Amino acid sequence: MKIKIITTVLLLLGLSTLVRAQEKTTSPEFLKYTNSKWVDSVMKSLTPKEKIGQLMFVAAYSNKGKEHEIEILDLIKKWNIGGLVFFQGDPVTQVRQMNMYQKQAKTPLLGAIDAEWGLGMRLDSTISYPYQMALGAIEDNTLIYNLGVEVARQIKSTGLHLNFAPVADVNNNPENPVINYRSFGENKYKVAQKSVAYMQGMQDAGLLTTAKHFPGHGDTNTDSHYNLPQINHSLERLNNLELYPFKELINAGINGIMVAHLNIPALDASGKPSTLSKAIVTDLLQDRLGFKGLIITDAMRMKGVTNNNKPGIVDKEAVLAGNDVLELTQDVAKAILEIENAVKKKVISQVDIDNRVRKILAAKQWAKLNHYSSTPSKELIKDLNSPKANLLKRQLVEASLTVIKNDDTIIPLKKLDTLNIMSISIGDTTKTVFQKSLSLYTKINHFNLGNNADAAIISTLKKEIEKHNLLIVGIHDSSAFPKNKIEFSKALTEFVENLPSRKTIVSYFKNPYSISKIKNIEEVKGIVLTYQDNNITQDIAAQLIFGGVSANGKLPISIGSKFKSGDGITTSKKIRFKYTLPEDAGLNSKILNSRIDSLVQQAIANKAIPGAQVLVAKNGKVVLHKAYGTHIYSDTTKVNLSNIYDIASVTKISSALPALMQLQDLNKFDVENTIDDYLPYFKGSNKADISLKQILTHQAGFSPWIPYWQKTLRKNGSYKWNTIKKDSSARFPLKITYNMWLHHNYKKKIFKAIKKSPVSDVKKYKYSGLLFYLLPTMVEKITNTNFVDYVNANFYNKLGATTLTYTPSKKFNNSSIIPTENDYLFRHNPIHGTVHDEGAAMMGGISANAGLFSNANDLAKLMQMYLNMGTYGNEEYISSKTLKQYTSVQFPENNNHRGIGFDKPYLTYKGENSNTAKDASKESFGHTGFTGTMVWMDPINDVLFIFLSNRVTPTRDNRKLYTLNTRTNIQQVIYDAMQ
């Protein structure tokens, strides 16, 4: 006994020096209601037994049916329990149940939940935000505060009032089985700062909070759910490290603190779990640290406290230790009986019980339960998954991504035309979201390896790797929670440990601690950490690698000896498209999505088009990218985002025009010169003295078009001998269809027809495509390079626009190419895989008038380069001076609204007859195409709009797309969504 007394005295002396003089703490705001009229009135209405009942919080589930509801109602009515802690289920049922339970409760119930990373931790159909370790990587704590505000909104929307969060444990043990990724990290200062930010966001939004797991569960290798962990640190260590975040939270005014089940000899030599220790709960937490808020036990059904402790008695011990709320007591009746007997025996005073109940009631009043009203559930799922809430999740993931290796600043990737890229997703045997998002930027060959991949499969894969000069590896985690382990086959382990380091980027979707278990991984050229594996982390990691987003995250923990806490390389600002939600660019997603969907579906229903692709970008962010309908009316093949369309006259601004602008910057071309300066063939013609600027602005008086194909026919309908044959040969090498081959010299006939075509003396706006048949030859003469090779090398390959191409059937299966018209006049076949425009077809499919094919995404890259005034992907293609010249109105005095090659808004808006939306700026520019396409860029509003369709199927006579005004109506929706 004497030894025990001495030990206790020494311990108390230690506790007296454990905490330095506290800063002035901010008392929890709810305490101002401790002696309010409402609390007084409730206290008067309660029997001693009912008061004890207020200390009890029991588990509730919204997925266990009526029998469970009856059990909860019985506890509420019989024992007047203080609150419910909700676990698995769905939000609508939870709201219904909570409303029912509140109606039956004599004293309003406090509803609590473990929602450390949002409601998704417990409820289906709700959002799971990043785990705290990922949040620990974020530099901007404003985002953590915003998370707190949003989580509070969502929890309150489901009828609850208290979140058992934040986790304030400093995780300095990589093998910690219970905290680990749930902690903000190993740096006590950052853990404290982020815990405070999260707490303040929740409390400012009207939610009660609870810091856990006091006095610090971060340095254990035992899970207190199954056993009692022991922490053998000194008082000084505990004071300086484990307790630090809790002290900061107390100073900041946190509502509650949850006490863990831990054996900490330095704080209590008796070996009691900290939950049952007066030395820890009362002497340390309340007296030394000055905490006056709610003290809540960790779950009283966990084996860390129940081992060797009987139900009821253990609850009494927790109350004696100084706890206010007993969370998930095993047996409410026994707990109340034991505490009631302790009061009768004066082991616990009634005043002490009353003070705790007053504290709980004060918290209820702060949560407005003194004026309780039922929680509505109408459109709850939609509200919980609002665009704002989802955008916050993306923002948090983006801010958390951490680049811990970036040799030669390989991230973001540059000079795409020099890269032959292969991706491997390890741990997932089907094409991943990561791989799909990588493919948004350029052509990539994708492969997958399961965790059990054998040597034979890997050997084959290594041969494929040799064909590529860049390897992007995604290492995935299929578990619900990020495991701190590697579960690869021996062959796969050896493969990962011997990746070709100088040409490999690794995106690591597993628990970052586990990367220390992979030999040589630090030798690769680039490493991105995402902290967990889901569709959003995969998507944004891919965007990071290509510069759609930048990296700012800092490693919140150390990874063995490979990487240290605080490591993290900031990458350059975004250089390519970011694929995101409309709200990220300041647009209303409801307006944008619903109204554009409606307009496209209207066009499909009216058979104006069988299908379409629509892309909208704002501020360089793709906020809508959708495919609609089918390839043709009589088919069930749905349009997907990778399908390519004949873009028709959009070719005019997508092929020779960018080449001419670039050549002008190189002083090899001048738009003020005349056509014969570059094509001597036209010297002495009626077009010789007309400037290219006049021609490109449709100001030259040229004929609109020439039906070249008609010149191939005799009067009896057969083809002239030197025009078209049914089979190919040296003389007839140009394929129009499988049974139509054009004479190799027919291009000269087209040039001759253009040369001989009339020119009007009246120089006013008159649309003509004739020059555009000549421009590829002009570019070839200036550059001494094949035209297609030139535009590929100088634009499409650099942009990563791999589907932006001529003669698509040479690269793609017809199943990927959207058909156009059933041509009964010239080709006598459905047009599929070849250009719709007859003249372009007779140029071998290569013209600047028409001939290009693309999907919306790849075409958008070129258009965004224009919108950026000549730059994209960290490269300048065209000077801003030249682009501004070409995209400006040239002859307004002649009522000509055109730019140089580009279409512009009419000088005066003409309502439904205008070529643009009402709100498109006068500085905007773009082009439309005969097949039903439109691209438009607005530099004032930084908006890009792309619409691809095949309205000419089955016939060009279908003009419903025009009469419905679908394209410009959709364009107007973008501006409406901005407002």
Side-chain angles (χ1 to χ4, degrees):
M1 175 65 81
K2 192 172 184 179
I3 294 173
K4 184 175 180 181
I5 292 171
I6 293 171
T7 302
T8 303
V9 171
L10 290 173
L11 177 60
L12 291 172
L13 288 172
L15 287 175
S16 69
T17 59
L18 181 61
V19 184
R20 293 176 186 158
Q22 286 285 296
E23 299 174 25
K24 186 177 180 181
T25 62
T26 302
S27 292
E29 187 182 18
F30 75 84
L31 290 175
K32 67 184 180 183
Y33 297 115
T34 304
N35 296 297
S36 70
K37 289 182 180 179
W38 181 77
V39 171
D40 285 345
S41 68
V42 174
M43 288 295 291
K44 289 177 184 177
S45 73
L46 299 178
T47 66
K49 188 172 290 187
E50 288 174 334
K51 289 177 181 177
I52 297 172
Q54 285 294 292
L55 309 182
M56 309 290 163
F57 280 40
V58 302
Y61 296 79
S62 53
N63 65 353
K64 286 192 174 183
K66 287 292 181 184
E67 187 175 335
H68 175 68
E69 289 180 5
I70 292 169
E71 290 175 3
I72 299 298
L73 285 169
D74 184 62
L75 290 171
I76 292 169
K77 293 174 182 178
K78 192 170 184 178
W79 303 111
N80 194 42
I81 57 174
L84 300 172
V85 182
F86 275 88
F87 287 86
Q88 284 72 27
D90 72 272
V92 175
T93 303
Q94 179 175 291
V95 167
R96 178 187 64 78
Q97 287 181 340
M98 195 59 178
N99 288 337
M100 175 181 63
Y101 296 148
Q102 292 285 24
K103 286 179 183 178
Q104 298 299 319
K106 176 179 178 179
T107 308
L109 295 157
L110 203 60
I113 194 168
D114 271 301
E116 296 164 20
W117 52 85
L119 285 174
M121 182 173 174
R122 296 298 186 203
L123 303 179
D124 61 30
S125 306
T126 58
I127 297 175
S128 287
Y129 288 100
Y131 300 128
Q132 282 192 196
M133 183 177 286
L135 302 180
I138 296 174
E139 289 289 277
D140 182 6
N141 287 335
T142 303
L143 281 171
I144 312 298
Y145 176 88
N146 293 342
L147 172 63
V149 171
E150 179 57 29
V151 167
R153 183 191 74 83
Q154 293 185 26
I155 290 175
K156 290 167 64 181
S157 295
T158 62
L160 308 184
H161 323 93
L162 169 62
N163 191 9
F164 292 145
V167 173
D169 302 307
V170 180
N171 199 85
N172 37 36
N173 187 337
E175 301 304 321
N176 193 321
V178 64
I179 304 302
N180 203 291
Y181 60 86
R182 296 166 63 197
S183 165
F184 284 118
E186 70 178 42
N187 182 305
K188 67 177 183 179
Y189 301 108
K190 290 192 173 183
V191 170
Q193 291 162 8
K194 294 178 191 303
S195 295
V196 168
Y198 193 16
M199 173 272 288
Q200 288 178 332
M202 288 188 281
Q203 291 189 181
D204 286 354
L207 187 74
L208 293 162
T209 65
T210 308
K212 59 188 186 185
H213 305 81
F214 184 85
H217 207 322
D219 195 6
T220 65
N221 55 15
T222 301
D223 187 341
S224 52
H225 289 85
Y226 305 108
N227 216 326
L228 181 64
Q230 187 173 76
I231 296 178
N232 290 305
H233 294 308
S234 67
L235 291 171
E236 183 180 11
R237 152 66 188 258
L238 293 166
N239 184 45
N240 290 334
L241 184 59
E242 275 78 7
L243 287 173
Y244 181 81
F246 293 98
K247 291 189 285 186
E248 292 297 301
L249 284 158
I250 291 168
N251 291 340
I254 192 162
N255 298 133
I257 287 179
M258 179 180 286
V259 182
H261 307 311
L262 301 168
N263 176 8
I264 311 175
L267 298 179
D268 188 337
S270 70
K272 285 183 179 180
S274 45
T275 334
L276 310 182
S277 169
K278 183 176 182 295
I280 293 173
V281 178
T282 298
D283 299 342
L284 174 58
L285 180 55
Q286 295 185 71
D287 296 344
R288 302 297 173 185
L289 297 181
F291 181 62
K292 305 302 180 187
L294 285 173
I295 302 175
I296 303 170
T297 69
D298 207 342
M300 295 301 289
R301 62 188 184 185
M302 292 165 63
K303 291 184 179 179
V305 72
T306 61
N307 284 349
N308 302 315
N309 290 303
K310 294 181 179 180
I313 294 174
V314 73
D315 302 283
K316 177 194 71 177
E317 293 297 319
V319 172
L320 282 168
N323 294 284
D324 301 312
V325 172
L326 306 180
E327 185 205 2
L328 312 185
T329 187
Q330 284 186 296
D331 190 321
V332 172
K334 287 183 179 179
I336 290 177
L337 178 63
E338 287 294 336
I339 296 168
E340 190 177 31
N341 287 336
V343 173
K344 289 177 181 177
K345 294 177 182 178
K346 302 191 183 303
V347 176
I348 304 171
S349 72
Q350 185 62 51
V351 171
D352 198 14
I353 296 293
D354 286 354
N355 286 339
R356 296 179 200 203
V357 176
R358 280 185 175 275
K359 198 189 294 188
I360 293 167
L361 292 173
K364 292 182 179 183
Q365 183 170 351
W366 185 85
K368 297 183 171 51
L369 283 169
N370 57 319
H371 298 297
Y372 169 75
S373 61
S374 62
T375 304
S377 60
K378 186 178 180 181
E379 295 193 329
L380 178 61
I381 302 297
K382 184 177 179 181
D383 178 63
L384 294 175
N385 292 275
S386 69
K388 181 180 177 182
N390 278 295
L391 175 60
L392 176 61
K393 180 173 181 176
R394 294 187 71 88
Q395 290 172 331
L396 292 164
V397 170
E398 181 181 335
S400 72
L401 294 189
T402 307
V403 175
I404 54 174
K405 193 81 185 295
N406 196 20
D407 290 354
D408 303 324
T409 60
I410 190 172
I411 301 171
L413 293 173
K414 304 170 189 72
K415 299 187 180 301
L416 298 185
D417 56 321
T418 68
L419 300 176
N420 184 12
I421 307 174
M422 174 179 173
S423 87
I424 306 174
S425 276
I426 296 174
D428 201 320
T429 55
T430 58
K431 192 174 182 181
T432 61
V433 169
F434 178 58
Q435 291 173 312
K436 292 175 183 176
S437 295
L438 289 172
S439 288
L440 290 170
Y441 292 96
T442 193
K443 185 179 186 303
I444 298 176
N445 295 317
H446 299 295
F447 297 86
N448 295 73
L449 285 174
N451 286 339
N452 296 317
D454 60 30
I457 293 172
I458 291 171
S459 177
T460 302
L461 196 64
K462 285 180 178 178
K463 294 175 183 176
E464 289 293 331
I465 293 173
E466 292 173 3
K467 302 174 186 177
H468 300 79
N469 61 10
L470 179 65
L471 179 62
I472 300 175
V473 178
I475 299 181
H476 294 272
D477 191 341
S478 60
S479 59
F481 305 111
K483 293 180 181 178
N484 187 9
K485 60 176 68 174
I486 302 293
E487 297 173 323
F488 293 163
S489 66
K490 182 180 178 182
L492 183 57
T493 300
E494 291 175 355
F495 171 71
V496 174
E497 291 177 349
N498 293 282
L499 288 168
S501 59
R502 300 315 300 164
K503 67 174 187 179
T504 300
I505 295 172
V506 171
S507 189
Y508 201 73
F509 298 103
K510 297 174 73 66
N511 187 315
Y513 281 126
S514 66
I515 205 170
S516 66
K517 298 174 172 65
I518 303 177
K519 295 177 183 177
N520 307 319
I521 192 71
E522 68 276 15
E523 299 300 322
V524 301
K525 202 155 190 176
I527 302 177
V528 178
L529 299 181
T530 70
Y531 302 94
Q532 59 196 95
D533 194 355
N534 56 50
N535 288 348
I536 293 179
T537 58
Q538 290 187 37
D539 176 28
I540 298 180
Q543 295 191 44
L544 169 63
I545 289 170
F546 279 95
V549 301
S550 58
N552 297 289
K554 303 297 180 188
L555 194 58
I557 46 102
S558 295
I559 303 175
S561 59
K562 297 180 190 288
F563 303 100
K564 298 299 179 187
S565 173
D567 285 354
I569 300 164
T570 300
T571 61
S572 62
K573 292 182 179 179
K574 78 179 193 71
I575 59 173
R576 295 189 181 90
F577 275 134
K578 177 182 183 179
Y579 297 84
T580 183
L581 303 178
E583 280 71 16
D584 198 14
L587 279 75
N588 183 306
S589 59
K590 182 178 180 181
I591 292 173
L592 192 74
N593 286 292
S594 64
R595 287 176 53 186
I596 289 179
D597 288 352
S598 178
L599 286 165
V600 178
Q601 294 302 338
Q602 177 195 49
I604 292 172
N606 281 275
K607 295 195 178 299
I609 54 174
Q613 288 177 3
V614 180
L615 184 145
V616 176
K618 174 95 167 65
N619 305 335
K621 302 172 181 179
V622 176
V623 295
L624 185 145
H625 184 205
K626 289 187 176 183
Y628 302 86
T630 57
H631 285 208
I632 57 177
Y633 295 111
S634 59
D635 193 8
T636 58
T637 305
K638 292 184 178 180
V639 178
N640 64 55
L641 293 174
S642 64
N643 290 153
I644 59 177
Y645 279 84
D646 181 336
I647 65 173
S649 283
V650 174
T651 301
K652 290 180 171 68
I653 65 169
S654 305
S655 58
L657 193 65
L660 294 180
M661 287 189 281
Q662 189 178 77
L663 292 169
Q664 181 167 308
D665 286 333
L666 297 171
N667 296 316
K668 294 181 179 181
F669 173 78
D670 190 336
V671 76
E672 301 290 350
N673 288 343
T674 57
I675 189 172
D676 58 314
D677 286 329
Y678 303 102
L679 294 175
Y681 175 73
F682 284 88
K683 284 188 182 295
S685 72
N686 58 359
K687 300 169 182 65
D689 298 325
I690 302 174
S691 74
L692 286 159
K693 182 167 83 172
Q694 286 182 300
I695 304 171
L696 287 167
T697 52
H698 307 280
Q699 176 78 16
F702 281 17
S703 299
W705 69 293
I706 298 171
Y708 309 105
W709 66 272
Q710 293 180 0
K711 304 296 183 182
T712 67
L713 297 173
R714 297 186 179 98
K715 289 183 179 180
N716 64 3
S718 63
Y719 293 114
K720 296 175 183 178
W721 77 269
N722 63 344
T723 59
I724 293 172
K725 300 294 183 186
K726 290 184 177 180
D727 295 308
S728 63
S729 65
R731 281 189 173 186
F732 295 87
L734 300 176
K735 182 179 180 180
I736 296 176
T737 69
Y738 73 95
N739 63 350
M740 292 180 68
W741 297 84
L742 188 68
H743 193 278
H744 67 93
N745 278 335
Y746 201 83
K747 183 177 176 181
K748 292 180 180 179
K749 294 181 181 293
I750 293 175
F751 275 44
K752 184 177 180 180
I754 294 172
K755 183 177 182 180
K756 292 176 65 178
S757 64
V759 175
S760 173
D761 292 333
V762 180
K763 303 303 179 186
K764 64 179 183 179
Y765 173 65
K766 184 179 182 182
Y767 187 84
S768 171
L770 298 189
L771 174 68
F772 291 91
Y773 290 99
L774 311 175
L775 290 181
T777 300
M778 184 184 293
V779 171
E780 288 178 345
K781 287 186 176 294
I782 296 171
T783 64
N784 198 32
T785 304
N786 174 273
F787 174 68
V788 174
D789 291 343
Y790 185 86
V791 292
N792 279 337
N794 287 277
F795 296 99
Y796 310 152
N797 293 344
K798 288 185 175 184
L799 290 164
T802 53
T803 67
L804 188 52
T805 186
Y806 285 102
T807 58
S809 58
K810 293 180 180 179
K811 294 183 181 179
F812 302 96
N813 294 326
N814 268 10
S815 59
S816 299
I817 305 170
I818 303 293
T820 52
E821 188 174 13
N822 293 338
D823 183 359
Y824 296 110
L825 295 175
F826 173 43
R827 283 158 280 196
H828 306 287
N829 274 297
I831 304 169
H832 192 184
T834 57
V835 61
H836 176 266
D837 181 84
E838 297 92 344
M842 298 178 78
M843 297 283 288
I846 298 167
S847 169
N849 184 65
L852 276 178
F853 287 68
S854 183
N855 61 34
N857 185 60
D858 281 344
L859 183 57
K861 296 168 187 175
L862 179 64
M863 298 303 126
Q864 186 66 39
M865 182 270 285
Y866 290 155
L867 192 53
N868 294 345
M869 288 293 114
T871 63
Y872 187 81
N874 210 40
E875 292 191 52
E876 183 179 82
Y877 294 81
I878 301 164
S879 71
S880 60
K881 178 183 177 182
T882 297
L883 256 172
K884 286 176 182 176
Q885 176 192 4
Y886 277 64
T887 57
S888 298
V889 175
Q890 300 297 308
F891 300 102
E893 70 283 355
N894 203 19
N895 199 31
N896 185 341
H897 68 280
R898 304 289 294 215
I900 302 174
F902 291 98
D903 197 3
K904 296 279 293 176
Y906 292 155
L907 298 178
T908 303
Y909 181 67
K910 299 179 181 179
E912 289 190 358
N913 294 319
S914 281
N915 63 340
T916 64
K918 173 175 62 71
D919 289 341
S921 74
K922 291 297 182 183
E923 288 78 6
S924 66
F925 56 92
H927 216 284
T928 56
F930 188 75
T931 52
T933 58
M934 180 178 185
V935 299
W936 210 267
M937 294 133 276
D938 188 339
I940 299 301
N941 293 291
D942 204 356
V943 166
L944 166 63
F945 166 52
I946 292 183
F947 182 93
L948 302 182
S949 76
N950 53 335
R951 67 102 194 158
V952 294
T953 190
T955 171
R956 69 185 64 195
D957 296 331
N958 179 8
R959 300 180 60 82
K960 291 179 181 177
L961 187 68
Y962 304 143
T963 56
L964 290 170
N965 208 27
T966 300
R967 293 174 292 183
T968 53
N969 285 342
I970 289 175
Q971 188 185 30
Q972 182 59 44
V973 171
I974 303 169
Y975 294 97
D976 294 344
M978 289 165 52
Q979 297 169 11

